[in-house]
Amino acid sequence: MRLAPGLFWAAALLIATSGCGFDPEGDQPLAPPPVYSEWWAKTEACSGLTGNFNRIQWSVVEGPSFPCSSGQCAGHWTTSHHIFLAGDWQDNEMVVRHEMLHELIGRPGHPDPPFGDGCPLTWATWNGGSAGLDVARVPGRVPPKQVD
């Protein structure tokens, strides 16, 4: 059976964006700290959406970033309710809540709203942009280009 070219590419795009098989090297399970529940409530409030925080599987990858489909990422969400965080960013409210918002909307991409207007959870919108990220606390810490 042969697929039409358009159908083939649509299926390939769906597989590529679904998060299936995403497993960065060296990831370790992460027990979410209590502050994550507070951040979840804030993310539900700004988005107007609700979800099940307890179904999220958390992992941390040591370092400032890890490879992902869009380059180097500080965080990545998959459709299997798994959130990966770079170790240097696991305590950063914007990065963690960005991935939580993906869980709430149930898809990749950054539609505005809720990203930007509603929930300013991108490098460009958080606390007036990257100046509000407080990266100066850690010498040499520069945010990766992506929170995926």
Side-chain angles (χ1 to χ4, degrees):
M1 182 169 139
R2 211 171 155 181
L3 292 177
L7 185 57
F8 170 79
W9 288 113
L13 179 62
L14 181 62
I15 290 167
T17 60
S18 69
C20 294
F22 183 82
D23 189 21
E25 188 173 321
D27 65 302
Q28 298 293 315
L30 172 68
V35 72
Y36 281 20
S37 293
E38 295 171 28
W39 292 348
W40 179 259
K42 288 170 69 173
T43 307
E44 285 182 319
C46 74
S47 68
L49 301 169
T50 59
N52 182 353
F53 176 79
N54 294 320
R55 77 175 172 184
I56 302 171
Q57 180 182 351
W58 298 88
S59 291
V60 66
V61 181
E62 289 308 313
S65 65
F66 52 85
C68 64
S69 60
S70 54
Q72 290 294 119
C73 289
H76 182 79
W77 167 85
T78 69
T79 57
S80 60
H81 313 291
H82 195 149
I83 293 176
F84 296 86
L85 300 167
D88 289 3
W89 297 96
Q90 71 187 31
D91 297 323
N92 182 279
E93 181 177 357
M94 191 283 293
V95 171
V96 174
R97 288 185 58 206
H98 178 102
E99 302 310 328
M100 290 175 171
L101 187 52
H102 279 296
E103 177 67 20
L104 288 170
I105 68 172
R107 68 182 189 86
H110 304 110
D112 185 1
F115 287 95
D117 286 339
C119 298
L121 297 173
T122 66
W123 298 128
T125 60
W126 179 253
N127 290 335
S130 61
L133 285 172
D134 194 20
V135 296
R137 290 186 299 132
V138 180
R141 182 165 139 185
V142 176
K145 292 186 190 243
Q146 299 295 325
V147 188
D148 204 14

